[in-house]
Amino acid sequence: MCRHLGWLGKPRSLAELILEPPHSLLVQSYAPLRQRHGLLNADGWGAGFFDVSGSDKPRRWRSAAPLWGDASFASVAPALSSHCVVAAVRSATVGMPIEASATAPFTDGIWLLSHNGVVDTAVLPASRGAESVCDSALLAAAIFERGVDSLGEVITEIGSGDPQARLNILAANGSRMLATTWGDTLSMLHGADGVVLASEPYDDDPRWVDIPDRHLVDTHDGEVRVTALDVSR
Ligand code: GLN
């Protein structure tokens, strides 16, 4: 399992979100607290964000090296600010390639998307345009093809095809952020300035809430809806 983090709200720097909190994604890359699969997240990292300047094109910075060794990102991250961020640190599933293109966030040019988990790629519908043969990249391509707006439905279908799958997804498009819980942890911090969704809380703020398993979180315009996924199908 990897660890991911999303932000939707007032602009914040990537350093403030990813590097500076006491239990930041950076710390989670070598000492995660709630990770059930894998010991550390050393197989790469990615930070995606939307420009505050008004362009709706997502920007990404990804690497197949550990986040803790990236002095360039540490130097530049305080100067990169965004209202909408999706970042991840990766623990590659056995057999998956270790390369920047297999590292979240994935994109279709509109959405940024990260996956914590594993899926049998045989149950995924054939889709074109995957960035890598990694299961998460194929899953992202399948979700993009069906439409991220129907994320809950797509995850329920894929999860019923592969009962062993773990399908925690985090996706954002600059004005909306969606996440699922399916086999791994997710917490939310809903503050006055915006919403953080993260595989694990990055500090001890008492407002963090844990999202129960098999749920969908949908946030836009300062509103958050958490609904149970329909697992009866
Ligand atoms: N299966 C994905 C990969 O290999 C994600 C792994 C994870 O969540 N640790 O990258």
Side-chain angles (χ1 to χ4, degrees):
M1 287 281 176
C2 314
R3 306 279 81 184
H4 54 209
L5 170 136
W7 167 251
L8 184 64
K10 296 229 169 88
R12 291 176 74 183
S13 80
L14 297 193
E16 207 184 311
L17 286 163
I18 299 169
L19 304 176
E20 290 168 6
H23 191 61
S24 62
L25 214 48
L26 169 63
V27 176
Q28 292 170 39
S29 71
Y30 55 82
L33 290 173
R34 298 190 176 183
Q35 193 158 331
R36 299 179 190 135
H37 302 270
L39 294 175
L40 77 173
N41 299 290
D43 299 321
W45 62 273
F49 57 97
F50 291 83
D51 282 359
V52 270
S53 66
S55 161
D56 52 9
K57 190 175 154 54
R59 314 282 173 187
R60 291 184 297 168
W61 187 343
R62 297 184 295 167
S63 162
L67 179 56
W68 65 78
D70 203 314
S72 298
F73 182 68
S75 161
V76 175
L80 296 173
S81 284
S82 175
H83 59 288
C84 184
V85 175
V86 174
V89 289
R90 180 175 182 223
S91 167
T93 299
V94 173
M96 297 298 157
I98 297 181
E99 56 195 17
S101 57
T103 306
F106 304 99
T107 192
D108 61 352
I110 296 168
W111 289 88
L112 292 168
L113 187 148
S114 171
H115 170 221
N116 281 183
V118 63
V119 63
D120 178 356
T121 55
V123 307
L124 298 176
S127 47
R128 281 165 292 155
E131 295 180 51
S132 160
V133 296
C134 170
D135 61 345
S136 300
L138 294 166
L139 176 61
I143 295 168
F144 291 145
E145 205 153 288
R146 280 283 298 280
V148 183
D149 292 329
S150 8
L151 180 66
E153 229 168 87
V154 180
I155 290 306
T156 308
E157 276 172 34
I158 294 171
S160 68
D162 175 8
Q164 305 304 317
R166 301 192 301 273
L167 301 165
N168 277 42
I169 301 293
L170 174 63
N173 69 355
S175 59
R176 187 176 179 199
M177 180 162 67
L178 292 163
T180 55
T181 50
W182 194 284
D184 200 8
T185 56
L186 184 74
S187 299
M188 175 172 68
L189 178 61
H190 188 180
D193 287 350
V195 178
V196 187
L197 290 171
S199 305
E200 34 193 277
Y202 60 48
D203 62 15
D204 58 7
D205 190 316
R207 294 171 300 169
W208 284 101
V209 291
D210 295 340
I211 308 296
D213 198 39
R214 287 171 167 58
H215 277 66
L216 175 75
V217 185
D218 186 352
T219 174
H220 53 86
D221 300 316
E223 309 248 311
V224 179
R225 281 185 58 200
V226 181
T227 47
L229 289 171
D230 179 7
V231 291
S232 59
R233 284 182 295 159

